[in-house]
Amino acid sequence: MGTVKHKILVLSGKGGVGKSSFTTQLSFALSHDEETQVGVMDIDICGPSIPKMFGLDGEQIHSSNSGWSPVYVTDNLGVMSIGFILQDADDAIIWRGPKKNGLIKQFLKDVDWGDLDYLVVDTPPGTSDEHLSVVQYLKETGITGAILITTPQEVALQDVRKEIDFCRKVKIPIIGVVENMAGFVCPNCKGESVIFAPTTGGAKKMAADTNVRFLGSIPLDPRIGKSCDQGLSFLEEYPDSPATLAYQSIIAEIKKVLPQ
């Protein structure tokens, strides 16, 4: 991991807030510059959706003298996930903590990531075994920071507050909070409607209350889900969408925060 410049964790307290879709679109955007080397490590052991979102269904891991090789989306975007090891994509992963920890250690120690500018780590919801393992194994070389994903409603925000507390307790720098699904943008008329009402002020107020950087809000666009199902970059497919503009603004903020 000493050859990786930036190690970024994508976290969420609540499931279903769009953490993996954000990981995917962030990684596509970072790799748009062909000189930038990007790796994505999926440690959501029980629910690996990253292979699908990158259009890598059915791909398998290859071994060489230097270790496991990531599966490449493009020459400068490699992915590692338990989804590449399963015989059937519908197989359930029924593992206790130690076995999960062992696989995460393999992903970090035995995968030939090469020289990377960014390693983006997609995590499961919560603050459990997988999170503790990746923090422990990356402690020596350091974690650049965590991006926290939420939706506007209080039921999601209350779990993100726990995630913020987790980061502070294990000393992970917090890059910032992203509010996903913040309104719905009609692809035809471009009109925006509020779907998940921010009854307690939304992510922006929560970020201010907890002294965490607010990176921005991304509106719902049904084509984001379509792009993820098809393994495509939403930002490239729909450059004029308000959601694409929001993504670009957030990614620019993230790059500003990262140490050079």
Side-chain angles (χ1 to χ4, degrees):
M1 288 289 106
T3 60
V4 180
K5 187 174 181 182
H6 298 300
K7 306 174 193 76
I8 300 170
L9 306 185
V10 180
L11 306 175
S12 72
K14 182 72 72 181
V17 297
K19 172 179 48 56
S20 294
S21 62
F22 182 84
T23 296
T24 304
Q25 299 308 320
L26 170 64
S27 302
F28 270 131
L30 293 173
S31 67
H32 185 69
D33 178 357
E34 293 180 2
E35 299 300 314
T36 301
Q37 300 299 317
V38 181
V40 179
M41 189 171 72
D42 179 10
I43 63 167
D44 191 348
I45 305 298
C46 295
S49 52
I50 287 295
K52 177 74 173 176
M53 291 184 173
F54 279 107
L56 299 173
D57 279 343
E59 296 288 341
Q60 294 183 330
I61 294 170
H62 299 286
S63 297
S64 66
N65 292 334
S66 54
W68 286 351
S69 296
V71 177
Y72 283 90
V73 184
T74 59
D75 288 345
N76 64 327
L77 176 56
V79 178
M80 182 56 68
S81 170
I82 193 175
F84 301 136
I85 302 172
L86 300 178
Q87 289 187 340
D88 188 309
D90 295 330
D91 286 346
I93 311 298
I94 309 171
W95 288 1
R96 293 189 186 275
K99 199 166 183 182
K100 291 180 182 179
N101 298 346
L103 184 67
I104 292 168
K105 188 174 183 179
Q106 277 190 284
F107 280 178
L108 290 168
K109 306 282 187 183
D110 297 342
V111 173
D112 182 15
W113 290 105
D115 295 331
L116 292 180
D117 295 291
Y118 301 95
L119 177 66
V120 185
V121 182
D122 189 51
T123 66
T127 55
S128 193
D129 289 321
E130 294 91 334
H131 308 80
L132 292 171
S133 294
V134 78
V135 169
Q136 177 189 340
Y137 297 139
L138 287 177
K139 192 173 184 180
E140 187 178 325
T141 54
I143 296 170
T144 307
I147 300 168
L148 309 182
I149 312 297
T150 186
T151 47
Q153 71 273 40
E154 177 59 25
V155 73
L157 295 174
Q158 65 182 4
D159 286 344
V160 175
R161 292 187 189 96
K162 296 181 179 70
E163 204 79 41
I164 292 169
D165 186 51
F166 167 80
C167 289
R168 287 173 173 162
K169 282 178 175 172
V170 299
K171 297 181 172 52
I172 302 172
I174 299 173
I175 295 169
V177 173
V178 173
E179 184 177 66
N180 205 9
M181 308 183 196
F184 166 73
V185 177
C186 174
N188 297 317
C189 72
K190 308 298 185 205
E192 188 169 337
S193 306
V194 174
I195 305 297
F196 301 113
T199 53
T200 57
K204 190 170 186 177
K205 182 177 184 302
M206 181 210 67
D209 291 344
T210 55
N211 197 28
V212 171
R213 185 180 291 102
F214 180 67
L215 294 170
S217 298
I218 301 171
L220 273 168
D221 185 322
R223 297 170 297 185
I224 295 175
K226 179 182 175 184
S227 298
C228 289
D229 281 349
Q230 295 176 341
L232 300 172
S233 168
F234 170 78
L235 281 66
E236 291 184 12
E237 293 293 310
Y238 304 102
D240 298 328
S241 167
T244 294
L245 301 179
Y247 264 112
Q248 289 170 338
S249 172
I250 289 167
I251 291 165
E253 282 299 308
I254 292 169
K255 286 181 174 179
K256 277 188 210 172
V257 174
L258 296 179
Q260 298 302 313

